[in-house]
Amino acid sequence: MKIFSFILAIVLMLPLCGCYDNREIDTLANVLALGVERAEGGIKLYTFAIGNTGGFGLESSGDGANLLCIGAYGKDIAEAVSSADLRLGKKLSFSHTSVVLFSLDAAGEGITEDAMYFDTNHKVRPQLVLAVTDFSPGEYLGKLSTLLEPNADKYFQAIFTSTQSYTPSLRLSEFMNAHFCGYTVTAPLMTGNISKSAVSENDVAVNGAGIIYDGKLKGYTGDMSFLGLFYSQKDVYFEGTVIRSIKRPEVKLKGNTAEIEIFARAEGNIDENSLADRAESLLEKYSKNGADLANIMYFARKNHVFYEDYRKFLNSVKDIKYSVKITLERYEK
Amino acid sequence: MEGVISINRLDSKGMMSLGVVLIISGFCYTAPAKLTAYFPAGAYVWVGLTAVSVGLACLLADKLLGGKSLCQGAEIAFGKGVGKAVCVGFGFFSFLYASLHLGEFSRAVEAFLLPASPRIFVLVIGAILGLVLCIVGIEPMARYAFVICIGAFVMVSVIFVVTLSDAEPGNLFPLISKPSLSGIGICLRVYTGVLFCLFVPGISPDAKSKTSFKATLIAGLFMTLIMLFYNLCIPYPASLKYAYPLHRLSLLANSTLLFQRLDIIVYALWMFLSFLTFGASALFACNMISRGLGLKNPKAIAPAVVFLCFLVCMYNLDLEDMLTAVSVLLAFVIFPVVVFCYRIVVGRVKDK
């Protein structure tokens, strides 16, 4: 009996060792980055930057040889993927995709459908970064230098974290959570000069934040200092003064007024009251578009012990007013 | 009633490990997602509270039954006929339990690992391995369960540690939601694996002592932690969107040099826990049905039981609601009635 069990176990292991679907690496096209932009006629142009793993008829070294860019039109990503699959004769695989770049107009139209496509594909990592570009992502990916190929993840991380001060980041999982919960998120806004024939990581940078709510880009700002003060404990700059949050802001809701208190350290003299006024006007500006930059709804959860009370609060709350207080602890260098 | 299948050699550690595996294996699939629908951000509290309540109920039942199984208790309290009926009833419950686990496993494998493969392929592998375990017997299974218990704790701890950066305490609020009967039913259903420790006769008295209580508490800790981390990392109502919470947690882990893709941990857990649970519950089903029907060799009906499980899964019958109903019936009606009637009968015999 033992010998029979042993033989059976070994025989059953055999089909498990290989891949029953018989997908070999040269039948797959590994998409390293994806660009999404609006095209004419209510459709979108999807640009797939594919790593050269062989079988594309490209040289494995030399300028521009390690990356193949293929564009496909479609009303949604599934249609574009089918079209690209047919043209390539390979199956697009998103298991190594590091970043999805949306042009401003595509992001304004909505990114939920595309994000949902990736979120429901378990081979895609939820750490996939979503970003907004003020240039054509398709053109940018087409001109990327060969540096991208070995490690696309690190390549884009270097761009997104090129400065010491705060820059926003948006992972796929964060976007999906925010979308389902009705929170506001900020995505890195990439700007730069891509008119050259080959673009390197030094030609583009994150110089702003796209404000995304309800799956759509509601606006963008180049002033990331307040966002940094609110969301991170990194250095931010106000007229040459370095400020850094010490801890997370405290948010209390009193009726329809959100009282936000920020605790920070400042290197040098800066007036807290004028900073607070600026923060209030920034929050109110975006709240008119429906965005909640201070994520009041998230903090409101903590103010409620019973779920039923929280639900009542969500139904009743309208036109939030902001009252910001900044407490600065000064220090000299 | 004794001696149809000898499981006297099963020690306390083995039975407890098997109990833990039988409870937790269901929780690695869709159960946390179902609980989230009823208890938005505080499901972990209910899972923990249920563990303590079920554990105490098991302790009380063990004391009242004085080392006897529920089947033996039913026989003493109501006579041989009822004892046999309880055995057959529990055999049917074990059969449902086995089918549910084979079905959950095949659905998960089909969704994540072999999406292009025919379902029958996964089911055949599961059914054959379950049958082999069923024939091999309970003692090797118990030893295997002990190793898997430790492995499961270690593997899930790795997921917890790596996803810690996604944990947000604010996601645990609002803390309390109104309990619903269906939610509590699912909470109880999760712990029905412990019934195997109480129902199965022929286990040595040493293995009986507090086994079910300890198994419930250990499994409860494991499941409460999974639920807590899921609630911590994914805010409600986003947490409703993922059918396989533990798998989602494993995907959230930031890839580092050491850990590239942690979902393989979940696939391994599914594989080990499901095969063992399927094998053990199918064996219990054979054992109890044989006792009830007076058959001499339970192994003879093992291929038929496994094939029936295979058919139930093949036609994708939804057993979750039925199993929840059976679990609630067992927990609230059969379980207390048998225990208290047994005590009354034993008390009368002593008085005489």
Short mmCIF file of all heavy atoms in Angstrom, two decimals, chain A residues 3 26 40 110 213 230 291:
data_model
loop_
_atom_site.label_atom_id
_atom_site.label_comp_id
_atom_site.label_asym_id
_atom_site.label_seq_id
_atom_site.Cartn_x
_atom_site.Cartn_y
_atom_site.Cartn_z
N ILE A 3 3.93 1.55 -1.08
CA ILE A 3 4.60 1.69 -2.39
C ILE A 3 3.61 2.25 -3.41
O ILE A 3 3.93 3.16 -4.17
CB ILE A 3 5.19 0.33 -2.85
CG1 ILE A 3 6.32 -0.06 -1.90
CG2 ILE A 3 5.70 0.39 -4.30
CD1 ILE A 3 6.84 -1.45 -2.08
N ASP A 26 8.83 32.76 -24.39
CA ASP A 26 8.88 33.41 -25.71
C ASP A 26 7.52 33.50 -26.39
O ASP A 26 7.40 34.01 -27.49
CB ASP A 26 9.91 32.71 -26.63
CG ASP A 26 9.65 31.23 -26.76
OD1 ASP A 26 8.76 30.76 -26.03
OD2 ASP A 26 10.30 30.57 -27.58
N GLU A 40 -9.08 60.36 -31.06
CA GLU A 40 -10.31 60.91 -31.65
C GLU A 40 -11.40 59.84 -31.75
O GLU A 40 -11.10 58.65 -31.88
CB GLU A 40 -10.01 61.45 -33.05
CG GLU A 40 -9.34 62.82 -32.99
CD GLU A 40 -8.94 63.32 -34.36
OE1 GLU A 40 -9.41 62.77 -35.36
OE2 GLU A 40 -8.13 64.27 -34.39
N GLY A 110 -11.45 59.60 -16.90
CA GLY A 110 -11.65 58.53 -15.91
C GLY A 110 -10.65 57.40 -16.09
O GLY A 110 -10.39 56.98 -17.21
N TYR A 213 -10.40 62.04 -7.76
CA TYR A 213 -11.55 61.70 -6.92
C TYR A 213 -12.62 61.08 -7.81
O TYR A 213 -12.77 61.51 -8.96
CB TYR A 213 -12.08 62.97 -6.23
CG TYR A 213 -13.39 62.78 -5.53
CD1 TYR A 213 -13.48 61.98 -4.40
CD2 TYR A 213 -14.54 63.38 -6.01
CE1 TYR A 213 -14.69 61.78 -3.76
CE2 TYR A 213 -15.76 63.19 -5.37
CZ TYR A 213 -15.83 62.39 -4.25
OH TYR A 213 -17.03 62.19 -3.62
N PHE A 230 0.72 67.63 4.83
CA PHE A 230 -0.45 66.87 5.26
C PHE A 230 -0.24 65.37 5.20
O PHE A 230 -0.63 64.64 6.10
CB PHE A 230 -1.65 67.26 4.38
CG PHE A 230 -2.94 67.10 5.11
CD1 PHE A 230 -3.44 68.13 5.90
CD2 PHE A 230 -3.62 65.91 5.07
CE1 PHE A 230 -4.60 67.96 6.61
CE2 PHE A 230 -4.78 65.73 5.78
CZ PHE A 230 -5.28 66.76 6.55
N ALA A 291 -13.53 67.07 -4.61
CA ALA A 291 -12.36 66.38 -4.03
C ALA A 291 -12.21 66.77 -2.56
O ALA A 291 -12.56 67.88 -2.16
CB ALA A 291 -11.12 66.76 -4.80
#
